[in-house]
């Protein structure tokens, strides 16, 4: 190991690298070709070197040390979590389900309770029977800021059960600002009730009370910068309110925990969680917290609901796996992998088992828990962490200077910003500059929506657990526009669902002729294009003549005839096809040929290419085929 293995290789400077790159680009714009503009708004370079680490203040920090970029402890262990539905009030059944999950590899639980339920000490005893709360943390979801009596009754249960205040791990989901985000309702008096809940759990070292739910922003289409900045601004709002009511900043901050979305941008997501810990530590310290426990961010990560697709749903397993990997490598406290069928039905035993086993494999076979912050020292991820942190800090300060989270949400500024981001993302998906595999690109040509998939899959409501939406229990009148959750695939799913439920079987026929390489390439592009809307594709290798191709089209009973050849052969071939078709079917030209203007002058109007807005174009063809939009 003492040998310098690379000593015989001369060092290469950044200047030398750049000179070679510029030469290889042959005059192309370096910034446009190689520099990626992330959704978070900062530039990502094509490569990073050791010199790019200079000036990163957190670089020399160790795991468990301020500012906790590398994790809040000296271990990378996390809790494998799954949800239990107790919204029907049958706590004995929920307890049975919870114990079964704990025997199948689950290490922590989210128990979802009806938002209207006030849980008594006796009911807590039934719900939590035989669950070792010092080993398996329980997160309660559905108790609003107006239901603090359930917190007091839990304390009564804990006393009767003899729970150790030092070791018991429990997280309540009191989140009045999340209620504001989801419903637009907010009661100004609720902060005093939250204070009562915090005082009720005094002495319980590991019990959290206030949940900052960043998934509410992510599921509405926010980017990572917005999710973190607005979440941190919520936390700041709570600390301000609670300290004004007499609590110390330490007591307020140490009772806060965070629930964040984890998306599919693998390295960016790793950097996001590292940046979140860095910023929370700085914010808590700025409030004058007196112990490190208040500066350590407690993070629960949930794989993305926004990314899930209804068509080709098994791809959701792959998405969730890489998402869980990002969260695990980033050093979060717990992870929930949503089942692959979460978006369109109540998950079954199989989908729950697969979701659970994703994490079991990551921990017990891939051994992701054995190395703390494996991203440490990575030129790329360290710089991503810094870039995200800078962007989040900038937006956080802007929000605070404009009056804070509550004022900005009431004024509609936060909704406006997230809507703009979501609209930009939707446009990228519509034009296929952003891919949702199996939905707007590379669909399963033969797939048809199953009977358990209904029109509601394209609505604006995402189920909180097992297909059930957990509403807000705030009695106040709306004071702001809520953020509506949706999935990125919804618009395309509505398109395909309309075809599947139309009672028709529209077909697109690939009329391939001329240059073999070009006609096959354009046939593959066009087949993929029309299959996205659920049209049945009739592909062909290559016809010897145009006459042969048109004859085959007419015999096929297809609705759309797609001319697939080279640009050179379109000038004469396409008018010939149009003449032979004599109005029987819709003629579409694959590509954007140089002769397009000449063809349009001859009455040929339909062209598809990589520049097309796939979503809007397919809507037009559906309308022409008599398929009603949903």
């Amino acid at each position: 190991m003492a040998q310098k293995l690379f000593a015989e290789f001369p060092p290469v400077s950044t200047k030398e690298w750049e000179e070679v790159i510029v030469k290889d680009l042959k005059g192309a714009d370096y910034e446009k070709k190689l520099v990626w503009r992330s959704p978070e708004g900062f530039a990502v370079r094509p490569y990073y070197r050791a010199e790019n680490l200079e000036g990163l203040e957190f670089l020399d920090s160790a795991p468990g040390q301020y500012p906790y970029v590398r994790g809040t402890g000296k271990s990378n262990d996390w809790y494998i979590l799954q949800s239990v539905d107790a919204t029907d009030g049958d706590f004995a059944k929920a307890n049975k389900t919870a114990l079964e999950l704990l025997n199948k590899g689950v290490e922590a639980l989210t128990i979802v309770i009806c938002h209207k339920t006030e849980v008594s000490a006796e009911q807590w005893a039934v719900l939590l029977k035989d669950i070792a709360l010092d080993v398996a943390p329980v997160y309660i979801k559905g108790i609003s800021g107006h239901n603090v009596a359930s917190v007091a009754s839990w304390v009564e249960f804990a006393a009767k059960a003899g729970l150790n205040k030092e070791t018991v791990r429990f997280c309540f989901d009191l989140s009045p600002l999340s209620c504001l985000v989801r419903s637009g309702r907010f009661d100004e008096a609720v902060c005093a009730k939250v204070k009562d809940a915090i005082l009720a759990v005094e002495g319980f070292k590991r019990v959290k009370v206030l949940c900052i739910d960043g998934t509410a922003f992510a599921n509405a289409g926010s980017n990572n910068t917005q999710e973190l900045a607005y979440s941190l601004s919520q936390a700041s709002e709570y600390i301000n309110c609670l300290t004004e009511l007499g609590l110390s900043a330490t007591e307020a901050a140490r009772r806060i925990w965070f629930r964040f979305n984890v998306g599919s941008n693998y390295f960016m997501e790793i950097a996001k969680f590292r940046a979140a810990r860095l910023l929370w530590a700085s914010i808590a310290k700025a409030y004058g917290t007196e112990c490190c426990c208040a500066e350590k961010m407690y993070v629960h990560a949930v794989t993305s609901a926004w990314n899930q697709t209804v068509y080709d749903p098994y791809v959701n397993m792959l998405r969730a796996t890489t998402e869980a990997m990002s969260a695990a490598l980033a050093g979060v406290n717990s992870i929930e992998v949503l089942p692959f069928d979460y978006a369109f039905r109540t998950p079954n035993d199989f989908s729950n088992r697969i979701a659970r086993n994703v994490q079991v494999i990551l921990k017990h076979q891939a051994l992701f828990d054995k190395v703390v912050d494996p991203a440490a020292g990575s030129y790329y991820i360290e710089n991503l962490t810094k870039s995200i942190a800078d962007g989040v800090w900038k937006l956080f300060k802007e929000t605070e200077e404009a009056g804070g989270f509550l004022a900005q949400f009431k004024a509609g500024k936060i909704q406006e910003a997230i809507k703009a981001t979501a609209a930009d993302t939707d446009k990228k998906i519509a034009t296929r500059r952003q891919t949702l595999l199996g939905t707007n690109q590379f669909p399963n040509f033969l797939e048809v929506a199953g009977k358990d998939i209904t029109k509601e899959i394209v609505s604006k409501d995402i189920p909180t657990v097992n297909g059930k939406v957990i509403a807000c229990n705030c009695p106040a009148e709306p004071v702001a526009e809520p953020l509506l959750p949706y999935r990125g695939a919804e618009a395309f799913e509505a398109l395909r669902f309309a075809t599947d439920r139309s009672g028709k079987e529209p077909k697109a026929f690939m009329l391939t002729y001329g240059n073999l390489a070009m006609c096959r390439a354009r046939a593959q592009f066009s087949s993929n294009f029309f299959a996205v809307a659920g049209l049945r594709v009739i592909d062909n290798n290559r016809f010897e003549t145009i006459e042969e191709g048109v004859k085959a089209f007419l015999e096929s009973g297809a609705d759309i005839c797609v001319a697939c050849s080279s640009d050179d052969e379109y000038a004469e071939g396409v008018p010939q096809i149009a003449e032979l078709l004599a109005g029987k079917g819709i003629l579409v030209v694959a590509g954007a040929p140089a002769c397009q203007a000449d063809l349009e002058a001859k009455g040929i109007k339909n062209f598809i290419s990589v520049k097309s807005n796939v979503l809007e174009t397919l809507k037009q063809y559906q309308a022409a085929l008599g398929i009603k939009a949903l």
Side-chain angles (χ1 to χ4, degrees), residues 222-364:
S222 76
N223 59 36
N224 284 333
T225 296
Q226 292 168 327
E227 181 186 5
L228 293 189
Y230 296 140
S231 294
L232 291 170
S233 187
Q234 270 194 24
S236 176
E237 192 85 42
Y238 284 133
I239 295 176
N240 288 333
C241 176
L242 292 169
T243 52
E244 287 176 5
L245 291 172
L247 286 183
S248 69
T250 301
E251 189 60 19
R254 69 195 295 260
R255 298 301 179 183
I256 292 174
W257 63 287
F258 294 80
R259 182 189 292 120
F260 287 135
N261 174 79
V262 52
S264 293
N265 194 338
Y266 188 74
F267 294 112
M268 194 71 73
E269 295 297 323
I270 295 174
K272 177 181 85 172
F273 290 109
R274 299 169 91 244
R277 287 195 296 267
L278 165 70
L279 294 171
W280 173 244
S282 301
I283 291 169
K285 191 172 185 179
Y287 271 105
T289 51
E290 298 172 350
C291 73
C292 62
C293 59
E295 298 167 359
K296 294 179 178 180
M297 176 180 267
Y298 190 95
V299 179
H300 171 55
V302 184
T303 59
S304 179
W306 188 93
N307 277 344
Q308 283 213 346
T309 61
V310 170
Y311 285 92
D312 214 355
Y314 294 116
V315 177
N316 292 329
M317 295 182 188
L318 306 178
R319 294 187 181 99
T321 298
T322 62
E323 290 165 0
M325 288 170 66
S326 293
L329 293 175
V332 302
N333 298 89
S334 58
I335 303 172
E336 179 174 13
V337 173
L338 297 181
F340 72 87
D341 52 354
Y342 176 83
F344 60 90
R345 68 185 181 198
T346 300
N348 56 34
D349 289 341
F350 173 73
S351 60
N352 278 316
R353 177 171 176 261
I354 293 297
R356 182 168 61 246
N357 285 349
V358 165
Q359 292 195 69
V360 173
I361 290 172
L362 291 181
K363 180 179 280 195
H364 299 299

Side-chain angles (χ1 to χ4, degrees), residues 139-141 143-146 148 151 170-179 186 190-199 201 206-214 231 233-243 245 247-260 280 296-300:
Y139 304 179
I140 297 298
K141 192 173 185 180
I143 293 180
S144 75
H146 296 271
V148 296
V151 180
F170 211 82
C171 293
F172 291 98
D173 188 26
L174 297 187
S175 48
L177 289 176
S178 291
C179 177
F186 186 75
V190 77
C191 206
K193 296 182 180 180
V194 172
K195 175 195 171 185
D196 293 340
I198 291 175
L199 291 175
V201 299
R206 300 177 186 274
V207 172
K208 305 289 184 181
V209 173
L210 272 169
C211 177
I212 310 296
D213 192 358
S231 294
S233 187
Q234 270 194 24
S236 176
E237 192 85 42
Y238 284 133
I239 295 176
N240 288 333
C241 176
L242 292 169
T243 52
L245 291 172
L247 286 183
S248 69
T250 301
E251 189 60 19
R254 69 195 295 260
R255 298 301 179 183
I256 292 174
W257 63 287
F258 294 80
R259 182 189 292 120
F260 287 135
W280 173 244
K296 294 179 178 180
M297 176 180 267
Y298 190 95
V299 179
H300 171 55

